Structures are given as C-alpha cells and as structure tokens.
Amino acid sequence: MKSLTLQAPAKVNYRLDVIRRRPDGYHDLRMVMQRVNLCDAITITLTGTPGILVTCGKNGVPDGPGNIAWKAAKALLDLADPGEGAVIDIAKNIPVAAGLGGGSSDAATVLMGMNELLGLGLSEQRLMEIGLTLGADVPFFIFQKPALAEGVGEQLTPMPAMPAAWVLLVNPGVHVSTAWVYRSLQLTNREGLAKLPELFRSMEDVCSILSNDLESVTIPAFPVIAEIREAMLREGAAGAMMSGSGPTVFGLFGDRESAERARTVLTDGTGWFAAVAETI
C-alpha cells in the first residue's frame, strides 16, 4: 500500500477587507494571508479497494462525507482508477473553527498528496480550481506562499517578501459562526481601500497593514477577543489582531522567547488554547 504523511499548516490574515456583498450571498474580499508552522499531520494511504475512510477523533471533525478532507479525496479518486480507495488519518493540532484555516489546509494537503500518490500529474492551477469547489481558502494552501487574496479568496497574487515573525496564537474557546459574522456585518461605503506597501522591510511594515473588518462584529459579541489582543500588545507584541472570523487572536513577536513569555502570562489559569509558531 502506498502511503504519504504531509504537514497541513495554519494561516493568519494580516489584513481582511470586506468590500461588498455579492449577488450569490458571498462577499468580495481583500486579504493578506500568511501560513504559520502550526500544522495538522495528514497520513494518506491508498488501499486498492473502493471507499474513503477519514479518521480524526477530534470533537467537531466528522469522519465521513461531512469532512472537507473526505470531499478532497473523493474529488481526486473520481479522476483515478475506479478500484482505488484511501484511508486518511488527521492528527489535529490546529483548533477547529478558529479562523486559522485548518479544515481548508487539510483539504489542500489531501489534494496535493492524492495527486502525488495517484500519479495524476495535475497542475497547481488545476488543483486550485478543484480546491475552490471545496472552500474559498483551499486554493491559498495549494499556492503555498504569502498572498494577496481577492474575490472570495480565490484570486491569488504573491506578496512581496515579508519579514519572518514569531506568532503567538491564543484561542479563548468561544464559538464564532463564520456565517453569522458575515451575515451580521454592516458594510459601509468606502472611500477606497488602503494602499498596501510595495516593500516590507521590517515587522513594523507588516504591522502597519493589520486590519480585520470582521472584528466590528465579533468584538462586541465576544469582548474577550479585544482583551486578548490588548494583553498581547502589553506583553510586547509588535502588532496583534483577530485572524479570519475568529476567535483566535495572533500577536507578532521578533523572537521566540518573547512570544513564549507572553503565552505564559496570557493563558495562566485560563485553559485556553495557545501556541507559538513561525511564519513560513
């Protein structure tokens, strides 16, 4: 049996601008997206018999067709020998429904892994097209570089080189529905989108673009998000913000030791999820 184990990284949004509501109910966005090395481990094994089995054992992660990784596997098995099947084991390290893109990353990783194992030879562009049918963030994880994401997130442009950073991720464990956030967002008439720098020479340049329109919905409903963000800044983060639709907050630090100290202070006695990762 052919098998492959791959790492599926999380992401943070350095910027998330919601431009307009589309007729199809989605929103046109402008996002700056960056991967970090907090990863799920995905093991894909071809079985030689039809069928797909996903194992995870994490609350909130279905093991069958409701799992986006299952759908990714089926999309590529449909292009392969009809007698082939797969077992996919997900060792989950990225919090579920956290604004970190864990599910989308898992799906992207399954697409790339299955493409290799099955010898399909699909191009990155074709994999991204298939990924978009699964979720708007999936193409970004196939793109595998910092990106400006536009449209619903599928129009990807490489960002200029960005300084590396240590990223403190703190998730207070409150449930934030992405659909509810976008449904509740009050769009205002923009004078125009803020111009992004052409060069990022320092972490301060990165921090200068930090902005997330969705905080206007989540913070009034979940003040703990703002409390974590302010605490990160007090503990030395160069910048801090909620990622995606939340509830995870990230802070940018110049070195690991500072990020680890802040993690200890912020999470003492809370039971919150917290991790220190590096940008990749």
Side-chain angles (χ1 to χ4, degrees):
M1 289 190 294
K2 290 196 288 186
S3 186
L4 190 62
T5 298
L6 299 169
Q7 300 297 306
K11 61 83 182 169
V12 293
N13 298 85
Y14 284 158
R15 190 170 189 97
L16 198 163
D17 297 317
V18 183
I19 300 170
R20 66 183 68 85
R21 196 183 307 272
R22 296 156 51 114
D24 60 10
Y26 290 93
H27 290 76
D28 281 322
L29 307 173
R30 185 183 72 160
M31 301 180 288
V32 177
M33 302 173 74
Q34 169 73 59
R35 295 175 304 147
V36 300
N37 66 356
L38 172 67
C39 299
D40 293 342
I42 312 286
T43 301
I44 309 166
T45 304
L46 298 184
T47 61
T49 55
I52 304 166
L53 175 65
V54 176
T55 60
C56 180
K58 187 86 169 182
N59 286 340
V61 182
D63 286 344
N67 189 307
I68 190 173
W70 190 99
K71 294 174 183 174
K74 185 176 188 306
L76 289 209
L77 285 170
D78 284 349
L79 303 176
D81 184 329
E84 192 57 87
V87 173
I88 298 163
D89 180 69
I90 304 173
K92 203 83 181 126
N93 297 306
I94 304 169
V96 178
L100 298 175
S104 295
S105 185
D106 292 351
T109 301
V110 168
L111 289 175
M112 292 185 286
M114 294 285 285
N115 186 45
E116 182 177 338
L117 285 172
L118 293 167
L120 294 173
L122 300 177
S123 67
E124 178 184 90
Q125 183 59 40
R126 181 65 186 124
L127 288 175
M128 289 167 64
E129 289 168 1
I130 295 169
L132 182 60
T133 68
L134 303 173
D137 283 347
V138 177
F140 165 72
F141 289 104
I142 297 169
F143 196 61
Q144 297 188 84
K145 55 181 80 73
L148 174 66
E150 297 174 284
V152 297
E154 85 288 4
Q155 299 168 25
L156 299 169
T157 306
M159 288 296 294
M162 305 183 86
W166 289 94
V167 184
L168 171 59
L169 302 163
V170 176
N171 183 320
V174 297
H175 174 70
V176 178
S177 161
T178 299
W180 166 79
V181 172
Y182 278 99
R183 194 167 57 244
S184 304
L185 183 66
Q186 298 297 313
L187 292 173
T188 57
N189 291 324
R190 292 179 178 274
E191 294 297 320
L193 290 171
K195 186 171 170 53
L196 299 175
E198 293 182 7
L199 291 173
F200 292 85
R201 296 183 180 86
S202 65
M203 196 186 301
E204 285 66 33
D205 289 339
V206 175
C207 292
S208 73
I209 70 167
L210 294 183
S211 177
N212 186 342
D213 286 349
L214 303 183
E215 286 186 334
S216 66
V217 175
T218 55
I219 285 177
F222 304 100
V224 67
I225 292 171
E227 292 165 12
I228 293 170
R229 188 183 65 191
E230 296 309 311
M232 284 188 181
L233 295 172
R234 284 198 305 273
E235 294 302 321
M241 195 175 68
M242 183 181 78
S243 183
S245 57
T248 304
V249 180
F250 69 91
L252 301 179
F253 292 81
D255 59 82
R256 179 169 199 146
E257 293 72 21
S258 301
E260 290 285 5
R261 279 197 301 271
R263 180 184 67 82
T264 300
V265 172
L266 263 71
T267 60
D268 183 38
T270 63
W272 294 342
F273 170 89
V276 173
E278 236 180 325
T279 55
I280 55 175

